[in-house]
Every structure is written in C-alpha cells, then in structure tokens.
Amino acid sequence: MKIYFAGSIRGGRQDAELYRKVIAVLKEKHQVLTEHVGDLSLSTVEDKGDQAIYEQDTAWLRDCDVVVAECTQVSLGVGYELAYAEAHNKEAHIFYRPNDTQLSAMLSGNEYFKIHRYNSEDELLELVKKLWG
C-alpha cells in the first residue's frame, strides 16, 4: 500500500520526532511516499521551490492509496492535502491530541474523514499498528 503521511512542516516542527516514529511503523509493511516529513533535519523552509513541492506532493497524493495526517500542529498545508485527498476520493485518516489542540470544524464536522484522537505517543503508535500493521 502507498501511504501519504501529512504533518506540519512550515506550520511548526514540534512533532517531527513523533512523525518519524509513525512513519517508521508504517514503513514496516507499506511504502511511505512522504517519509521526508519525519526527517528531523528538515527545516521549516524547504529548498526545492514552492512550485516543485506543490507538483511533487499533489502527484504523490494522486498516487497514494491512503492519507495519514497528524493534525495536532496547525498547518495550512496539511489542511490543503486533506481537502485534495477528499476531492480525489482518497481514504483519509486524521490523528490528533485533543488536549493539545482543537481540530478545525472543517475536518471534525466532515464525515468523510476518519478521525482518531489519542493522548500519548504509545497510544498513537498502537493505533497506527492496529490499522496498518
């Protein structure tokens, strides 16, 4: 299965280590098209150029089987990726920590998305293993 993992880059890298761990679990059995999102050295400003990033990411979104988005860190890009996934009929799962953020009503009010709340890193990793392990 081809998985598009979405997590905040320019919106903040506070959860980069968490992204890395989720991606590692997903990679045990699947291809993660966006494994760079978990790269701890990735800065908030990528050097590929905005148009190149857009073209690559939307190509990956069209090619993937499922979108897995960690939405605790607010990110316009992740919101866009989720809307793109919905527009292209891609299965989409949203994970977030309700104690650390309030999910946008545009996501939580949309029955298209499968929303998973979690409170700890261990709980998140177990959810990911249960779904795709």
Side-chain angles (χ1 to χ4, degrees):
M1 179 183 316
K2 293 180 186 176
I3 298 175
Y4 185 103
F5 180 84
S8 177
I9 295 175
R10 292 185 181 175
R13 298 293 289 157
Q14 297 91 325
D15 281 335
E17 174 64 19
L18 181 63
Y19 304 160
R20 185 190 65 74
K21 291 177 181 179
V22 171
I23 290 166
V25 169
L26 293 170
K27 282 177 58 178
E28 289 176 8
K29 296 190 177 180
H30 307 284
Q31 179 184 7
V32 179
L33 302 173
T34 54
E35 64 182 287
H36 66 280
V37 176
D39 183 346
L40 301 180
S41 66
L42 184 66
S43 73
T44 58
V45 180
E46 299 165 278
D47 59 2
K48 290 170 50 176
D50 290 355
Q51 184 173 357
I53 292 167
Y54 170 81
E55 289 172 2
Q56 179 63 77
D57 287 1
T58 54
W60 280 330
L61 281 162
R62 288 187 302 273
D63 190 39
C64 76
D65 299 304
V66 65
V67 174
V68 175
E70 206 299 324
C71 291
T72 302
Q73 300 302 319
V74 176
S75 169
L76 292 171
V78 173
Y80 183 90
E81 290 162 331
L82 287 164
Y84 197 94
E86 180 183 15
H88 288 82
N89 243 358
K90 300 295 180 171
E91 181 180 334
H93 293 258
I94 295 171
F95 295 85
Y96 80 103
R97 295 185 305 274
N99 291 336
D100 295 334
T101 196
Q102 186 173 359
L103 196 62
S104 168
M106 295 302 290
L107 300 175
S108 62
N110 185 338
E111 293 182 1
Y112 184 84
F113 300 113
K114 296 167 181 67
I115 297 176
H116 311 274
R117 295 162 185 81
Y118 70 95
N119 294 307
S120 69
E121 179 181 300
D122 289 341
E123 185 180 357
L124 171 60
L125 296 176
E126 283 304 313
L127 280 167
V128 170
K129 287 177 188 174
K130 181 180 174 185
L131 290 165
W132 298 287

